[in-house]
Amino acid sequence: MTHFGVRRFAAMSDGDVGRALRSVLNRMQTAVAKRPQDLPKVHPRLVAVTKTKPKELILTAYRAGQRHFGENYVQELVDKASDPEILDHHNDIRWHFIGHLQRNKVNKVLGIANLYMVETVDSGKLATALNASCEKLGRTDRLRVMLQVNTSGEEQKHGTTPVNVCDLYKHVVENCPHLHVVGIMTIGVYDYDLRNGPNPDFQVLVKCRTEICATFNLRPEDVELSMGMSTDFEHAIEVGSTNIRVGSTIFGARSYPGTKPPKTATNNPNTTQNDQQPQTSADNVESTRQNLEAVNVNQ
């Protein structure tokens, strides 16, 4: 069992995490190069998802240059963000909350040091609660948020509907002065087969951005798209994602008691054999750190 109560299939070494980060960065750069010229020239942000992963892997990724980290569960984020070693010596970590947020947990999340963004605002009530909590806590800077859109229409997924996304955007802009809507996000259908064509969830989110920009007189550069995870982040970037959430490809598959390991990028046809070859030189580690620092600039 890990510190956070979930078994891992195999321990990840510093070298494993460094190689995985370098592979993801290389694949991101390749995907950016494939974007149509009419898409916004915004380099995607890499959010390393550490759900169920121990502190040690966060610190390993940090040493390699990674700064943006995402968590799905409120208490797990609180525990990690308040860990003395992380809090005292790694205070430039930028935490993203990427799970479903209940209104009664808002104060807990906003009390987290170095909270960078809440990516899952799915209702006006949640936005209002976040705004009130910011005011109550005396937060001086506006909280970055994304509006979560349920692009697949699956009942088990949270998010506003594509039809209502402009209404939610308007509610936040007009009624929540302590929030800054930086974009919209989706999870989409898991393990979509690209042989069937472009991912329809990503297409829907792009259309939502177009409608927001037209309604509120914004440029596409003003509305980020958070879409793409371990199995589909390259395609997401190619169609315009500016924020990808990658976990198992970097830190290894998660294991929950009584379940089989989920698919990771090693099952992804976009992952080449070279992505999985061991490379251990100090030069490669330093290169990864420098590349990640470049990605983190002004993000």
Side-chain angles (χ1 to χ4, degrees):
M1 300 288 286
T2 69
H3 174 68
F4 295 99
V6 179
R7 292 181 294 114
R8 288 175 291 151
F9 280 98
M12 295 283 287
S13 69
D14 285 19
D16 292 334
V17 172
R19 284 189 293 272
L21 279 169
R22 185 166 59 253
S23 173
V24 169
L25 285 174
N26 290 338
R27 292 163 63 186
M28 288 172 66
Q29 291 173 348
T30 299
V32 168
K34 294 180 180 179
R35 281 177 170 173
Q37 291 300 308
D38 59 343
L39 286 178
K41 302 294 190 292
V42 179
H43 197 282
R45 177 192 302 109
L46 171 60
V47 178
V49 180
T50 49
K51 176 176 69 173
T52 78
K53 297 300 181 180
K55 171 184 73 174
E56 289 74 19
L57 290 186
I58 297 174
L59 299 179
T60 296
Y62 180 94
R63 287 192 292 270
Q66 180 65 24
R67 292 296 180 268
H68 291 270
F69 293 87
E71 288 290 340
N72 291 67
Y73 305 125
V74 172
Q75 192 56 52
E76 187 172 356
L77 176 54
V78 169
D79 290 344
K80 289 175 178 175
S82 61
D83 181 277
E85 186 173 3
I86 291 178
L87 197 58
D88 295 342
H89 304 292
H90 307 84
N91 59 9
D92 58 340
I93 281 181
R94 299 163 185 173
W95 293 107
H96 294 236
F97 186 75
I98 60 174
H100 177 58
L101 180 58
Q102 297 174 309
R103 295 199 301 278
N104 62 354
K105 300 289 181 65
V106 162
N107 288 340
K108 259 190 171 182
V109 170
L110 291 191
I112 292 167
N114 300 325
L115 178 66
Y116 183 81
M117 187 186 299
V118 175
E119 294 196 21
T120 49
V121 175
D122 58 5
S123 70
K125 290 181 178 180
L126 177 58
T128 299
L130 285 165
N131 185 71
S133 183
C134 286
E135 185 172 2
K136 177 181 177 182
L137 295 173
R139 189 180 177 106
T140 56
D141 59 321
R142 290 195 296 166
L143 173 67
R144 299 176 187 86
V145 299
M146 288 192 180
L147 308 182
Q148 182 175 2
V149 185
N150 185 347
T151 54
S152 63
E154 296 171 273
E155 291 184 4
Q156 70 271 26
K157 287 186 177 166
H158 299 279
T160 188
T161 63
V163 172
N164 292 326
V165 68
C166 283
D167 289 339
L168 179 55
Y169 189 97
K170 181 179 180 181
H171 172 81
V172 177
V173 170
E174 293 184 351
N175 301 291
C176 303
H178 297 286
L179 306 185
H180 177 205
V181 185
V182 298
I184 52 181
M185 72 87 77
T186 189
I187 296 174
V189 174
Y190 178 71
D191 208 21
Y192 175 77
D193 190 343
L194 289 176
R195 290 175 296 185
N196 296 323
N199 188 314
D201 291 304
F202 298 167
Q203 298 298 309
V204 169
L205 199 69
V206 170
K207 184 178 179 182
C208 286
R209 178 173 67 180
T210 299
E211 292 176 354
I212 289 172
C213 290
T215 302
F216 300 97
N217 194 28
L218 299 171
R219 303 173 304 160
E221 292 86 349
D222 297 328
V223 183
E224 289 196 39
L225 298 179
S226 178
M227 57 189 191
M229 299 186 288
S230 282
T231 59
D232 56 13
F233 70 85
E234 289 156 301
H235 174 58
I237 290 172
E238 289 173 19
V239 298
S241 179
T242 62
N243 188 83
I244 61 170
R245 311 176 301 273
V246 180
S248 57
T249 296
I250 298 171
F251 300 109
R254 304 178 189 95
S255 173
Y256 302 88
T259 63
K260 295 180 180 180
K263 292 182 180 180
T264 66
T266 55
N267 306 113
N268 189 327
N270 289 321
T271 304
T272 66
Q273 185 177 3
N274 289 335
D275 291 328
Q276 302 170 41
Q277 292 300 313
Q279 300 177 26
T280 57
S281 74
D283 288 342
N284 283 333
V285 173
E286 177 62 16
S287 175
T288 302
R289 186 187 64 77
Q290 292 175 354
N291 287 338
L292 281 164
E293 287 178 351
V295 171
N296 286 321
V297 170
N298 296 324
Q299 293 189 354

